[in-house]
Amino acid sequence: MNYRLFPRLMLLSLIIMVSQATAQVDGREVPMQAEFHFARLAFGVNGREFTGYRGEPWLRDWPDAEFHFLQGLRRMTRVNADGEFRQVSLVNDALFDYPVIYAVKVGYWYLSDQEIERLREYLLRGGFLIVDDFHGPNEWAQFVFSMRKVFPGKAIVDIPNEHEIFHVLYDLDDRQQIPGRNSIYSGVTWEHPLGVPEYWRGIYDDDGRIMVAINFNMDLGDAWEHADDAFYPEPMTALAYRIGINYLIYAMTH
Amino acid sequence: MLEFLFKYSAHDYDRGELVFTGDWPTWLIIGLVAVAAIGIAFVLLRRRSDTGPAQLITVGLMQFAVVLIVLAMLQQPALKTEALLPGENTLALVLDSSASMRYGSGASRLETGRDYVADAETRLASLAISIQRFELADTASSVTSFAESQAVGGVTSIADSLLTVLGEARSSSLAAIVLISDGIDTSGGISAEQLGDIASFAVPIHTIAVGRETMPEDLELTQVLIPSTALPGSTVSARVSIRHDAPGATRVKVYDGDELLASDAVQLQPGVTTTSVRIDIEQMAAGHRQLSFSVDALPDERELRNNNRETLVNVAADTHRILYFEGEPRWEYKFLRRAIAGDEEINLISLLSVSPNKFYRQGLESAEQLEDGFPASREELFAYDALIIGSVQAATFTPEQLSIIRDFVSERGGSLLLLAGPNGLGNGGWGQSAIADLLPARLPPSATNTFVRKKATPALTPQGADLQMLRLANTAADNRSSWDGLPDVADYQQTGRLKPAATTLLTVSTDAGPVPLLITQPFGRGHTYILATGGTWRWQMSLPVEDQRHETFWRQFLRALVASAPATVSVSADTGASTLKLRAEFRDKAFDPVTDLNVSAAVSHEAGESQLVELAPSPAEPGVYLAEIDSATPGTWYVEAVANRDGEPFGIARASTYADPGQAEYFNIRANAGLLQRLSDATGGQHLDPDDIGALTELVRYSDAGIKTAVYRPIWDAPILFLLLLALKSGEWLLRRRWRSI
């Protein structure tokens, strides 16, 4: 190898990667195949703006979580759901073709002013955001920091048991903390020493409808992902399915 | 000319009989004819060597014709007709004295009519006929003279007036009626039945029209069509018709008291006499709204009272129910519910098949509502005003439920809307279902997948642009722009061939060109609609949150669905010329007519005057109860109809209307000679130009009615006979000169 060429090749590769990432951010739109597409929200993390669909915390549990959840959804409901799954960022106009989006690791997310603006617009138009897999006070603080910018005047509140979102298909009065697989291996139900108890929280719109469903100190995505893992407790997987389905049905009816 | 040649009119010849009054016996006439024929033949045959046979025959026939005509004249031909017996008959002179007779340029129509009357009386004096005089308005009244007549009658009913005249004058051997009028009937015209009643008296009515039939200097607000009821906050469209005899421009305005609600410029089109425009009145406030419509006057317009019309719209909060049955969770369901959520007048009750074994119900009025799924009885389904069926297979419904859906549209008068979807329209087997004939399109068979999940651009059709329910902006141009600027719908579905009665209101562009997106047709008492997409939700998600087009579309569309659905109990009040016609209709929960009710109505005027009226069952319409009362007092009338069955209350319905009986005479001010012509034709009379009043004498003398005697009118001296003789002899002479022979 000509070692004099190495720095130039590295620079060229970097330029190609950056240009591809930028192109994906701007124009990613895939034709609709079904009424519902599992759309995972892509975002920047740790103070960096979103630059492209590369592996980041937001992709945690992908693709098995989507794969298993969609099979359950299609088997147990009449939702016309596509077997494929999508990723979408807040800066992509295709965002508005997915009235429900799923986001994980929001304790690390970093939303630019543009993304803040578009998330607010998305939710007010009728979009629905499910956030999952974030734990402990620091991650909560980071999530809240962004959401305060999205909705400065709106409170994040605990969703009461009797709320329709817990009864729209399944009656989910008895819920428990659903942790990631590693926590199960460790014999605990939390992923962070301060990640107890679990919280089912939400942000409501002016008409009293939930527009953001928040699973704090929980990891439903892991429960879906490991639905075929004999070690992962079946009751937790079943509950995760039911909660996810209830969220979706609620989002499709309210 | 013909009358000059034949001495009498064709009408006289029609009615008369041709007779010979000479007293020569028949054998003598035959003998004379024979002698003349032989004589002519003898003379001509003597000259047969000088000329040819054809010329001889021609001359002979001409001479023989002269002999025949002379013999006929000597036998004194006459027209035998029946004429009035002098001193035994009566003539009714009827002069219109309604308010419309005050119009006229220079002399009023009434003054002109008086002149015609005077002229007619002078000419009729020779007939020794008794004349009775009547003024005509809402009815006829006998007068001794027209000198004091005033054009003040608030209503004109020509038929009723003539029947009064015929009734009063019947005992005095009425020979004819002479009617002088502008032909304006403000009671609703003369019906065929009334015309038959008048003709049954067998008295000819001769008519003379006064007034102009065209008035280029005048505009008239002929008609305002507007729903009598509306929901608070809704936009109401009124159709305004303007009568004009010249092209031009004006402006239509709508006021509620002193508040200007709407205003629109109108171009009066050349070549037509009526221009119609639509004007939208937005955000109607609750209550009885007395709306005043007006058109701006033309520069030289004198009669301004026909530029205004008052009408009443009852804007009342009333909740209408819509049942939405959806076969799968989907975005259209969510966003439709959200769009209609703020509308207090619409209760959208939905039944969503979430999973194979579970329905999810929303918008419920009680916990039991739709507990067993889709309604299985007429009473249960008929409680709704409209039905929406989403992505659902037709086979989901039992045959009985499909039959109830059919009755829901055809008998109950509800609206049915079918939405597109993977299991909707053709895919769902609706084209082969028991209600396929209700739908506005022949849906393709279910074996063909017609649902396309691909974005497509919607477009407004001209028919759709004319509907208030598809108005997204105030003006037509803005509305078009609003539709053009809408995002694509998420999907569409092929509807197949449209039925003859279908109307396409929206289309959507596809690779194969535009296809129907929203279509409708009437069926029975109701309407059916197909919205061939399940993807209008993209309008909401793709437009800024402040943009209300998605919400506006669905609110107006759903309001239109329920607006035409009748209630089980209803009452209406229509103002006639001077009466208030009440019509109450009572049906049970299954919308079967209820015929054994005691129905009464409290009718009150805004000034406080009130009365209780009993309504009688209509013999023609089961479940309908009718009454008619005098409503000479202008203003707003309120009606509350109460029905009882065996002493138990059955139902209450309320309505209101605005009456202004005197106003009618300010409208239709153009003379209507056609009506007078029709009247004369039906009774055997003549419609005369004012210049032909002189003909009245003979028309009356030989009238078909009255006490008559036979009259022989000689015609031997008719100019045509002398002209014939002259022509025959001159012709013979000319022929002889030409042939230089005989």
Side-chain angles (χ1 to χ4, degrees), chain A residues 118-171:
Chain A
R118 286 173 68 88
L119 180 56
R120 181 190 307 120
E121 183 70 18
Y122 171 83
L123 295 171
L124 291 178
R125 289 183 193 181
F128 193 88
L129 170 66
I130 302 168
V131 295
D132 188 30
D133 193 10
F134 69 119
H135 314 266
N138 292 340
E139 294 184 20
W140 175 258
Q142 177 60 23
F143 169 70
V144 170
F145 174 75
S146 298
M147 291 311 295
R148 289 272 180 268
K149 290 191 193 174
V150 176
F151 292 120
K154 289 201 180 294
I156 299 174
V157 298
D158 290 329
I159 303 174
N161 253 1
E162 59 275 17
H163 194 277
E164 191 65 11
I165 204 166
F166 293 130
H167 302 277
V168 64
L169 179 57
Y170 299 107
D171 287 323

Side-chain angles (χ1 to χ4, degrees), chain A residues 35-48:
Chain A
E35 188 72 15
F36 173 69
H37 292 266
F38 195 116
R40 182 183 283 259
L41 183 65
F43 48 82
V45 294
N46 297 327
R48 287 181 286 113

Side-chain angles (χ1 to χ4, degrees), chain A residues 29 78 97 121 125 164 251, chain B residues 334 353 360 455 541 545:
Chain A
E29 181 177 345
R78 288 193 185 276
D97 284 334
E121 183 70 18
R125 289 183 193 181
E164 191 65 11
Chain B
K334 166 198 177 106
S353 180
Y360 183 58
K455 292 174 188 173
M541 283 303 289
V545 69

Side-chain angles (χ1 to χ4, degrees), chain B residues 319-378:
Chain B
T319 302
H320 296 273
R321 293 188 187 88
I322 297 177
L323 174 59
Y324 177 15
F325 184 41
E326 184 53 81
E328 59 187 78
R330 57 183 189 151
W331 305 121
E332 193 75 337
Y333 174 94
K334 166 198 177 106
F335 286 101
L336 195 164
R337 285 202 61 85
R338 288 172 71 100
I340 207 71
D343 193 333
E344 294 179 355
E345 322 301 336
I346 302 287
N347 191 6
L348 185 65
I349 299 128
S350 52
L351 189 64
L352 170 64
S353 180
V354 181
S355 65
N357 297 313
K358 184 166 182 179
F359 283 112
Y360 183 58
R361 299 172 294 159
Q362 286 180 279
L364 299 179
E365 294 159 328
S366 70
E368 297 78 26
Q369 194 170 17
L370 301 173
E371 204 169 28
D372 299 322
F374 190 83
S377 69
R378 286 166 63 99

